[in-house]
Amino acid sequence: MRPFVEPFFDSATSTFSYVVHSGDGTDCAIVDSVLDYDPKSGRTSRASADRIIRFVREHRLRVQWLLETHAHADHLSAAQYLKAELGGKIAIGEAIQVVQRTFKGIFNLGMDVPADGTQFDYLFAADETFAIGALTARAMHVPGHTPADIAYQIGDAVFVGDTLFMPDVGSARCDFPGGNAHTLYRSVRRLLSLPPETRLFMCHDYPPDSREPCCQTTVAEERNANVHLHDGITEEAFVEMRTRRDSTLGMPTLILPSVQVNIRAGAMPAPESNGVRYLKIPLDAL
């Protein structure tokens, strides 16, 4: 199976979202959608999600799944908005409950935010198979960046989330709560054991000045040229590099608004008595 993949790039967060379909049917999945958010004003907007909506409607597709690879720390999910406009089930890996428990404590969230994954319509077990119309898909559990990362294998395409980046960029950080560089190394080696021609689709790209953002590579290209994880890099060498590199990185600009929305499957907190919704900013907690 070689599904049709339509990418959508959000330059503000360097995020790629995708619509995946068979080309000869009406069912599709949307992977890692983006809700636009201005951290200076606290305003949300929907231009990025509206581009996806236009594509889906123009091609007369029916959204079956709204797939999240993990609870992103660098952008807010538009899954709730897309579900309201297009339908579909919002899904993520069942280990999201681990992430919810961690951040529920950090944000001191109440009983209205249970840490059981019920905010999502469906939780995938590790390596569970499912269907997108005529396409067969698999939810590969690939933790390390966070405990809950899922890579979606759909035919010859794999949507890797934040496990891998383009070969000249390398790998994802592992210093978020529950992250682990040893675990990420093993998850990536699992991905790179797939057939060499397997297409790998990135969730982000942070390109050097010499090229434009790119969303697609292959297992063979990653094994040959990934600057952090090409063939021959040992687990010990990777962990040493990743730990040293992570110690120099600042927190993502949108981590505090993003995580508390994304562990709710993209839902905003309920309005308070004045009709305004509020996000929390914990001080000295991360």
Side-chain angles (χ1 to χ4, degrees):
M1 293 184 298
R2 187 176 177 88
F4 287 81
V5 179
E6 185 71 20
F8 299 82
F9 185 63
D10 175 59
S11 59
T13 62
S14 298
T15 302
F16 282 101
S17 305
Y18 300 95
V19 175
V20 189
H21 62 102
S22 65
D24 58 359
T26 58
D27 293 299
C28 72
I30 298 171
V31 183
D32 287 337
S33 62
V34 174
L35 180 72
D36 303 305
Y37 176 79
D38 179 2
K40 296 179 180 178
S41 66
R43 290 188 177 276
T44 61
S45 57
R46 298 168 177 81
S48 295
D50 286 339
R51 291 166 57 208
I52 293 175
I53 291 172
R54 286 194 296 272
F55 178 86
V56 168
R57 289 175 174 164
E58 287 170 3
H59 290 78
R60 298 184 179 182
L61 300 173
R62 181 174 60 234
V63 176
Q64 191 172 2
W65 295 99
L66 298 155
L67 302 174
E68 301 286 348
T69 55
H70 62 294
H72 306 273
D74 40 29
H75 70 268
L76 281 67
S77 170
Q80 294 289 340
Y81 173 61
L82 291 172
K83 180 180 177 179
E85 292 292 318
L86 299 172
K89 293 181 178 180
I90 303 173
I92 200 167
E94 62 184 1
I96 189 61
Q97 298 167 83
V98 177
V99 178
Q100 288 176 323
R101 286 195 294 270
T102 298
F103 281 97
K104 183 171 180 174
I106 290 172
F107 290 109
N108 195 31
L109 301 176
M111 296 301 294
D112 60 320
V113 186
D116 58 5
T118 53
Q119 300 87 348
F120 296 83
D121 298 313
Y122 194 83
L123 301 180
F124 289 113
D127 298 320
E128 181 175 351
T129 59
F130 62 104
I132 305 168
L135 297 170
T136 299
R138 178 167 61 130
M140 300 175 66
H141 187 211
V142 286
H145 173 61
T146 79
D149 280 62
I150 290 287
Y152 294 103
Q153 183 180 19
I154 306 170
D156 77 328
V158 181
F159 300 85
V160 299
D162 282 3
T163 54
L164 273 172
F165 295 142
M166 292 297 292
D168 59 350
V169 179
S171 61
R173 65 194 298 168
C174 298
D175 60 335
F176 294 155
N180 186 284
H182 288 281
T183 304
L184 181 64
Y185 179 89
R186 295 163 195 166
S187 292
V188 169
R189 296 322 303 177
R190 184 180 180 213
L191 288 171
L192 298 186
S193 69
L194 294 169
E197 66 276 12
T198 302
R199 295 181 291 164
L200 303 179
F201 290 90
M202 309 294 107
C203 182
H204 301 284
D205 190 27
Y206 309 102
D209 294 338
S210 58
R211 67 170 176 83
E212 295 297 313
C214 184
C215 68
Q216 181 181 341
T217 181
T218 66
V219 165
E221 289 167 347
E222 292 282 4
R223 291 185 64 171
N224 180 62
N226 185 284
V227 293
H228 296 165
L229 285 157
H230 62 76
D231 284 357
I233 297 291
T234 66
E235 182 173 338
E236 292 73 19
F238 172 76
V239 170
E240 190 279 329
M241 178 282 300
R242 190 70 264 170
T243 302
R244 174 168 35 85
R245 185 177 176 87
D246 288 350
S247 69
T248 70
L249 301 177
M251 284 290 105
T253 300
L254 297 185
I255 186 171
L256 293 176
S258 293
V259 171
Q260 59 189 300
V261 169
N262 294 340
I263 62 173
R264 293 176 164 101
M268 296 293 178
E272 297 193 8
S273 58
N274 61 355
V276 177
R277 301 174 190 269
Y278 291 88
L279 296 172
K280 290 185 173 183
I281 304 296
L283 300 179
D284 304 319
L286 288 180

